[in-house]
Amino acid sequence: MKKAIYPGSFDPVTLGHLDIIRRSANLVDKLIVGVLNNNSKSPLFSVDERVNMLKEVTKDIPNVEILSFSGLLVDFARQHEVQTIVRGLRAVTDFEYELAMSQTNRVAAPEIDTIFLNTSLKYAYLSSSIVKEMAMYGGDISKFVPAEIIHLVYDRYGINKNSSKEKGEM
Ligand code: PNS
């Protein structure tokens, strides 16, 4: 059985993440989305909230499982007997960080490889940080995050957006 892990903070999940999840789920028998439980980053959403959001937006993809992890990614991968890590590459600015991380992971766990999927062009500059920046000031985030979670992001900033287009169901 071919398995892979797609790890990240997903604070919150974006359409760019979802695009990588769908495409990598097509390449393997089982894809585990690993949500980093890292208190030091003081995320906008708790790890349980992030896991639930991901479960909601991936519920139509049968071979995807959403799990949280803390500690080292390679330990999490070994625990689940996964030898492939998937990461999305947006622009060249991602490259150095991603290369350092994948090289470090490879030194720590030579049996685990990282593969990179290039992000679809329309999401090339999209990030969770940009979503938060837009939402914080009441900007339209409907083109950036799945419909089901739009209202959760606005709610977190105490912003009331009532238009039916922007209010996802969850
Ligand atoms: O979406 P992100 O925040 O860029 O994801 C980063 C993530 C979760 C993949 C990375 O921070 C990670 O793997 N953290 C766990 C600790 C670890 O194993 N670090 C790798 C050594 S550099």
Side-chain angles (χ1 to χ4, degrees):
M1 194 197 227
K2 266 195 261 171
K3 293 202 270 183
I5 285 181
Y6 176 44
S9 303
F10 305 106
D11 187 39
V13 57
T14 67
L15 290 173
H17 294 133
L18 196 53
D19 174 56
I20 298 287
I21 292 172
R22 286 190 191 286
R23 285 162 55 210
S24 44
N26 271 335
L27 301 175
V28 293
D29 299 307
K30 182 173 176 181
L31 179 74
I32 296 174
V33 178
V35 183
L36 181 67
N37 184 3
N38 182 352
N39 293 334
S40 66
K41 267 194 170 179
S42 50
L44 183 63
F45 293 98
S46 73
V47 69
D48 289 343
E49 288 172 322
R50 285 177 278 143
V51 164
N52 287 337
M53 284 190 243
L54 275 154
K55 282 185 178 166
E56 175 68 22
V57 302
T58 60
K59 64 182 180 213
D60 63 319
I61 318 173
N63 61 334
V64 169
E65 185 178 11
I66 316 295
L67 297 173
S68 63
F69 76 102
S70 24
L72 288 181
L73 174 59
V74 289
D75 290 340
F76 177 61
R78 278 178 171 154
Q79 201 186 323
H80 291 276
E81 297 175 340
V82 176
Q83 286 165 6
T84 308
I85 294 167
V86 176
R87 291 286 288 170
L89 270 185
R90 289 167 298 191
V92 72
T93 42
D94 279 343
F95 186 74
E96 251 180 77
Y97 169 65
E98 293 298 334
L99 191 66
M101 201 159 60
S102 66
Q103 296 287 26
T104 308
N105 286 337
R106 203 157 147 67
V107 170
E111 78 282 13
I112 299 176
D113 263 316
T114 301
I115 62 166
F116 296 100
L117 291 189
N118 60 344
T119 304
S120 298
L121 212 48
K122 59 184 172 176
Y123 306 129
Y125 292 95
L126 179 54
S127 67
S128 298
S129 310
I130 280 180
V131 168
K132 287 183 271 197
E133 179 90 7
M134 288 291 285
M136 186 187 302
Y137 298 109
D140 181 6
I141 57 168
S142 61
K143 291 194 173 67
F144 303 150
V145 299
E148 300 92 321
I149 71 152
I150 294 172
H151 69 289
L152 299 175
V153 182
Y154 286 131
D155 282 356
R156 196 47 50 106
Y157 290 111
I159 288 171
N160 186 14
K161 290 255 180 188
N162 280 320
S163 97
S164 56
K165 187 178 163 220
E166 285 171 343
K167 195 167 172 95
E169 294 301 323
M170 189 166 154

